[in-house]
Amino acid sequence: GAGVGRAGCRVPRPTRLPPGWLPALQLARRGSKAVTRHWKAMHFQRQKLLAVTEYLPPRPAVPPRCLPAPRDRPEEEDGYVRLLRRQVEEAFRSSRMVAVCQYNSMPDEDVVTMRHYLRKHNIEVKFVLNEVVRPVLAQSKYRNLLPLFVCRNILLVSPETRAREMLRVLKGIPQVNLLGACIDDTILSRQGVENFSRLPSLEASQGQTVGALALLPSQTSSLLQRGPSLLTALLDEHIRRLRDTGTPGEPPQEQGTG
Amino acid sequence: PAGPGGVAVPRAGLKKLVLPPDYSGITFPEKPKLKFMDKVPAVPKVRREPRRLRDIRGPSREATDFIQGQYGILALGGGYLHWGHFEMIRLTIGRHMDPKSMFAVWRVPAPSKPVTRKSLGHRMGGGKGPIDHYVTPVRSGRLVVEVGGHCLFGEVQPFLAQVAQKLPFPAVPVSRESLQEMRREEEEKRLNNQNPWTFERVVTSNMLGMRKYLSPYDLRLQGRYWGKFFLKHRV
């Protein structure tokens, strides 16, 4: 802006200083040109200036290597993983019996044989990865099965609950160990599965229940008939005794009310 | 992953299937290989030109960004490319690339600047020597060649690095992403510099009379260039 000179009068000053000016005296013959093939030696003052104006990186109060590693960029969901998760959900939804077994490496032909025998009982063998199954279970109602999915495992799923045949097949395979099962929305341990297998089948137990329930009604008619039948029996006994004691002529008058 | 006793427990996870790269927006030029560059321009120069080394100094203004290809060689210093260099680049890249799936494009013009040489063993004086050969000036920050096509950076990088090593100035193979990354890092460095004293500040306000020891070009170059050299670590 305008400056104030002596005696308070305004002195016009240029608003902006000119950006650059060539030095009045240029040393023409000193040393090499500006652009050289070799590294031209710098004036010491320039070296000092470059040393002073070097880059200083920011230094946070806590060095980053003392802090826990930043868990940035969560991995995007893979389509394949989504498909596998959907398949697992489908398996859980459509089956009545889901058994979790620990799987140790077996020869391939033994795996095929095991699958064949279990298929005969309509049990399907599924190989599952823990990283696929764990999120699926955590959000569904089978949360308590999570501790079982730690090591290499297989799922035996079946729409029927034939625990006895499954246990018989698995007994012959030492590399596959039953850890637990979820049968008809009931979580059972290994012992529980064994107990379950020893139970009679559903039809037999239904028949038993029906029989037990039908026991009392079936006795109703005999209960009602108990009084008159007792009376009939007593009268018959009496008639026989009278006949036996040789008193003829007394015809049986009472007719048994059948 | 370590198990009990420090023994590593091998763990197999799900294989992450990577989608193949998408080469949808790539158009091939008519001739995929590098054009042959003449030693001497079609109309050779009669008048001998002054040396004009300022065409090497400072940052480049042309050919700093990619045009057709995805990968290229970036010059990190100034220098002159003569016919030998051009042949080396053309033959090396032509040998290593597959013309059916890749293409290469020159980003520097043919040699046009005449360079004079006096015959060997003579004393100084007697006028300027005759024209010996022609060169192309290259400034730092300029792309020399561009390569593109159905290829990944990892396939292209080995032979580009081989070529870059043989150039008369420091050069480095880059891709579009890596160039962007380089520029972003430079900008970040400039912004988070903790030093309150920057070359720019000292020079523009002529602190301590520093401009007595600096060139007027340093106002523009800001201490990042010295002669033909580019000081990558500055600011």
Side-chain angles (χ1 to χ4, degrees), chain B residues 9-156:
Chain B
V9 176
R11 194 186 79 93
L14 196 63
K15 179 165 180 166
K16 290 186 178 49
L17 299 164
V18 178
L19 290 168
D22 182 28
Y23 296 129
S24 47
I26 296 177
T27 43
F28 277 62
E30 304 96 45
K31 298 203 179 157
K33 290 196 179 177
L34 285 171
K35 191 173 64 141
F36 174 78
M37 293 293 208
D38 297 313
K39 232 187 209 186
V40 167
V43 180
K45 299 225 167 105
V46 176
R47 178 118 190 235
R48 287 164 293 190
E49 289 174 0
R51 216 147 291 173
R52 243 186 265 122
L53 290 166
R54 53 183 177 270
D55 52 13
I56 305 296
R57 196 178 194 185
S60 171
R61 290 227 188 148
E62 46 178 4
T64 44
D65 282 310
F66 283 92
I67 282 188
Q68 276 185 26
Q70 294 118 57
Y71 319 110
I73 300 183
L74 185 77
L76 292 175
Y80 288 125
L81 287 174
H82 57 69
W83 186 72
H85 295 125
F86 280 100
E87 281 302 281
M88 180 270 294
I89 296 174
R90 190 177 69 87
L91 292 173
T92 313
I93 293 187
R95 205 180 326 128
H96 290 275
M97 78 173 204
D98 174 24
K100 282 181 271 192
S101 63
M102 304 203 285
F103 64 89
V105 156
W106 286 114
R107 291 307 299 278
V108 286
S112 59
K113 175 174 175 168
V115 162
T116 60
R117 280 260 187 281
K118 281 184 95 62
S119 22
L120 191 58
H122 286 257
R123 297 205 174 178
M124 292 282 104
K128 195 164 163 81
I131 294 178
D132 186 44
H133 57 273
Y134 291 79
V135 293
T136 331
V138 170
R139 285 190 151 125
S140 39
R142 186 190 180 128
L143 287 167
V144 178
V145 280
E146 259 183 51
V147 180
H150 302 320
C151 51
L152 296 171
F153 191 38
E155 299 169 32
V156 167

Side-chain angles (χ1 to χ4, degrees), chain B residues 169-235:
Chain B
F169 39 79
V172 73
V174 291
S175 66
R176 284 189 196 238
E177 294 84 22
S178 80
L179 187 63
Q180 224 175 12
E181 182 69 27
M182 230 191 281
R183 297 215 172 123
R184 194 187 59 81
E185 261 174 25
E186 219 173 294
E187 188 62 28
E188 218 179 273
K189 259 178 93 164
R190 198 176 64 84
L191 288 172
N192 68 13
N193 188 8
Q194 299 300 301
N195 197 345
W197 309 110
T198 52
F199 194 97
E200 187 190 341
R201 190 175 158 199
V202 170
V203 162
T204 46
S205 47
N206 193 12
M207 293 184 175
L208 293 177
M210 266 295 143
R211 287 192 57 186
K212 183 167 173 223
Y213 310 104
L214 304 173
S215 154
Y217 286 90
D218 284 311
L219 271 172
R220 215 187 309 151
L221 305 176
Q222 298 300 335
R224 304 195 70 206
Y225 299 87
W226 178 239
K228 63 170 185 171
F229 302 102
F230 170 57
L231 310 171
K232 203 164 183 336
H233 55 275
R234 292 283 312 163
V235 161

